[in-house]
Amino acid sequence: MTDAPDNARPTWRVAALAAALFVVSLALRFVGVDQGLPHRGEPDTYIVQQAEALVLDGLTDRYRAGWKYPHLVATVVAAVPAEDIVRPPDGASLEEHERAATALHLRTRKVAAVLSALAAPATFLIALRFLPLAWAAMAGLLVAASLLHVCFSVQARPHGPVSAFAALALLASLRWAERPTLLRALALAAASACAVGSLHTGFAVLAPIAVATIAALRKTGVQRAHVVAGLLLVGALVAASTAWFYVRAEDGFGKDPTKTAAAQSQRRGGLGSDELNEAAGTGRNVDTEYEGRRVIQFSGHVVALDLFDGGGFGVAWRTLRTYDPLILAFALLGLAAALARARPGLSFSATWIVLGFGVPTLLLYGLYARSTDRFLLILVPMAALAAAYGLRVVAARVPRVGGVVAGVAILAITVAAANAARLRTLPDTTQQAARWLQTNVDPETSVHLANLRSIPLFMRPSDLRADMTWANGPWESYQWALLRPRGKSVRGERDVPTEPTLEGPRRLGRNLVYPTTAEQYRMVLSDRPSEVATEILDGAAPDRAILAVHPTVHAGPVDHWALAKAWRTPLQQEPWRQVHRIENGLADDEPAMEYRLDFWKVLRARAYGSTLEIYAAATP
C-alpha cells in the first residue's frame, strides 16, 4: 500500500468517481427494491414499526415501536415526504390493496437502500489513503457489488445504513487526524452520531476516533486545545444520539428480557397446550435458556457471556464464503501481501486508524458464537479495501495473466450483483403460484398451503384464525388490520375507520387454508410427522394443496427440509396428483434463496423462493 494524501489528485476526478460509485451502488440496490412484497417481508423489521409510530403517534408504545433497534433510520423514514397511507376505497383491485399494505415497508426499504449506497463512495475515499486512484475506485465498486452488502441494503433493517455511517465516520476520522479543524470535527461528530443512532454496532466507530485523536495530538504544529474541543464535540453528539435514539424509544436499557419474539408469538392466547407453548419458544425463552448464566441485557437483547467462545469466526468465514467468495479470496491475499512487507510510503497513522476500527470489530464479531451474517455488514468496506489491494498485487506480480484474472474477478462480482437485481424484478415462485391460482382455480376451491408462510391473495375473513403461524408479514398484518374494530388502524394509516373494512376480503377473498402454529409444532414434535401431515390434510379436506419443496434453511431447531418431506409424503399418494410445478432454477438438494443470497446460486437461479408443487385431490 502507498500513502496518498487527500490533496494528491484532482478534486474533480475524485468527486466524479465518488458520485459514479454512489449511482452504481444505488442502482444495484434500488432496482427491484419491492421484491417479495407484500407477502414476504423480511424478519426483524422493527424500524417499520418505529416509523409507523412516528408517523402516527410518536414513540410512546415500546412494543409497537420495536424496542430492539435505535430509531434514527425510522426517523428518516418518517421524515421523507410521501403521500398519506390510506385504505383503498371499495372496489379497489388486489394490486391496490397490496400497495396500501406495503407502502410504509417499501418506503423504509428505499430509505435503507439510499443510505446504504453511501458506503461505496466512502470506501473509495478511505482507500485513496492507501491505493492509487483506479484501485481505490475498485474498492468502492467491490462494496457496491458485494452480495452481502446488497442483500441487507434492500431490506427494511438498519444494518446497511449503519455500515455506511460507520464508513463515513472512519473517513471523517482519517480526515480529522490529517488536519483537526473544527469543521472536520463536526463532520466526524455527525457521522459518528448517525452510526450510533442507527444500530448498536455503530459504537464500533469510537475505537478509530480514539486512535485518530492520538494521531492528531502527535502532529506537529497542532494546538491541543483544538483537538480536545473537537473530541468534546464528537462526544456530545454521540451522547445526544444515544439519549435520543435509544433511551427515549426504549425507556432505557435492560428492559424485561422475557419480552422476546417467542413470547410475543403467544400473544393471541397460546397454542392450546403447555407443551406447544413451550415449543413455540424454540429455545429463545430467556426464563429457561439463560437461567443461572451471566448475561448482558440491553434493548430487548440478552447476551450470555459464555457465548463469547470464538464461534463467530466460523460464522464470518461461512458468510463471506457464501455471499462474496471472490472478495474473501482476494481480501485474504491482500492481507497476506500487506503483512509480508510494509511499503516505505505507508501512512502509520492512517493504517492504525483503519485497524483501530477493523480489528476490534472483527474480534467482537468472531468471539460471539451467535453472530449472524448481517452483523458482518459493517466490515464489508474493510474486506473490500483488502480485496482491492489483493487484486492490485495479482495484477502487478503476474504480468498480463494477473490483469486478466483481476478483471474477470471484478466482472464476475459485478455480474452477480446485477443478476441479483434482475432477479428482484421478476415474480418469485410464490407470486407465480398466486397468478396460477387466479387463472386456473375457482375462488370457491379450497387450497391448503402446506408449508408456505404466505401467498399474495386475500383470504376470506372467516378463514382467519388467531394462531396462524403466517400472521407476521406485511400482507398478513394488513389482512388482520382490516378485521380490527374501531380504534385500530392499518399499519401506517392516519385516518382510523369507525368500522372494520371487509369489502376487499369479502369480494376478493379465496378459500385458503394455512397450517396453524399448533399444527406446525405438532409436526415438529412428532416422531411421525408425515402421519400428522396426513391428519391435517384429511381434517381440512382441501381440493388443492401447495407444497414448498426446497424450503429456505433458517437457523434454529426446526428442520424445514424434514417438514417439507413430511408434507410431500401424503401428497404423493392417492387421491392426490401433481398438476403444476414452479421451478426456482436450483438443484433439488439446494435451499431456496429468500432473505439471503448465495454467490453461485445468484448466477444460476431463475427466481427467488422455493420450488413449488401444486397438487389436486380430484380431476378439475
Side-chain angles (χ1 to χ4, degrees), residues 569-599:
T569 299
L571 289 173
Q572 290 186 325
Q573 301 171 2
E574 293 291 340
W576 296 98
R577 62 186 182 83
Q578 187 182 139
V579 294
H580 190 60
R581 182 179 168 96
I582 301 171
E583 298 278 359
N584 62 10
L586 300 177
D588 288 346
D589 59 347
E590 291 184 285
M593 288 195 306
E594 192 168 283
Y595 305 118
R596 295 175 171 87
L597 295 178
D598 181 294
F599 183 85

Side-chain angles (χ1 to χ4, degrees), residues 282-293:
T282 60
R284 297 179 62 186
N285 191 318
V286 296
D287 284 336
T288 56
E289 182 181 3
Y290 296 107
E291 186 175 355
R293 297 164 69 179

Side-chain angles (χ1 to χ4, degrees), residues 273-287:
S273 72
D274 292 339
E275 181 183 31
L276 291 176
N277 288 339
E278 182 178 353
T282 60
R284 297 179 62 186
N285 191 318
V286 296
D287 284 336

Side-chain angles (χ1 to χ4, degrees), residues 382-458:
M382 299 296 95
L385 176 60
Y389 182 58
L391 287 165
R392 184 192 178 205
V393 169
V394 169
R397 295 295 179 85
V398 187
R400 297 183 181 178
V401 175
V404 172
V405 170
V408 169
I410 293 169
L411 179 63
I413 292 168
T414 307
V415 167
N419 203 44
R422 183 187 68 84
L423 288 172
R424 290 198 303 269
T425 66
L426 303 176
D428 65 22
T429 56
T430 308
Q431 289 171 310
Q432 294 177 50
R435 294 178 181 181
W436 189 89
L437 289 177
Q438 285 180 297
T439 302
N440 298 280
V441 177
D442 186 271
E444 299 299 323
T445 298
S446 175
V447 180
H448 196 284
L449 298 126
N451 60 340
L452 282 186
R453 293 182 63 84
S454 179
I455 196 166
L457 293 172
F458 260 122

Side-chain angles (χ1 to χ4, degrees), residues 38-226:
H39 58 290
R40 203 191 71 230
E42 54 274 17
D44 301 332
T45 53
Y46 301 113
I47 56 176
V48 180
Q49 301 168 34
Q50 293 170 343
E52 176 192 17
L54 284 164
V55 168
L56 287 172
D57 311 311
L59 286 169
T60 57
D61 186 329
R62 179 171 179 267
Y63 302 107
R64 184 184 186 189
W67 65 96
K68 287 194 174 184
Y69 293 158
H71 64 272
L72 182 142
V73 178
T75 301
V76 177
V77 174
V80 170
E83 296 180 1
D84 286 347
I85 302 169
V86 297
R87 294 181 190 270
D90 289 351
S93 66
L94 177 63
E95 290 72 21
E96 289 174 303
H97 280 287
E98 289 177 347
R99 285 195 293 270
T102 58
L104 190 58
H105 196 112
L106 180 57
R107 189 196 309 178
T108 306
R109 281 189 181 182
K110 290 179 178 178
V111 168
V114 172
L115 295 178
S116 302
L118 293 170
T123 303
F124 160 60
L125 296 174
I126 292 170
L128 283 176
R129 272 75 185 165
F130 307 100
L131 295 169
L133 185 66
W135 291 105
M138 286 299 105
L141 180 61
L142 291 178
V143 172
S146 161
L147 282 188
L148 177 59
H149 206 277
V150 166
C151 179
F152 293 100
S153 296
V154 298
Q155 297 184 13
R157 299 200 266 192
H159 301 82
V162 76
S163 72
F165 287 133
L168 290 169
L170 181 57
L171 173 63
S173 296
L174 291 166
R175 289 175 56 79
W176 189 56
E178 291 163 359
R179 194 165 70 249
T181 64
L182 181 60
L183 185 61
R184 293 191 175 196
L186 182 60
L188 175 58
S192 303
C194 287
V196 167
S198 298
L199 197 61
H200 309 84
T201 50
F203 281 99
V205 301
L206 298 182
I209 290 173
V211 179
T213 301
I214 296 173
L217 290 172
R218 294 180 62 182
K219 292 182 74 72
T220 57
V222 171
Q223 296 186 20
R224 294 194 172 188
H226 290 173

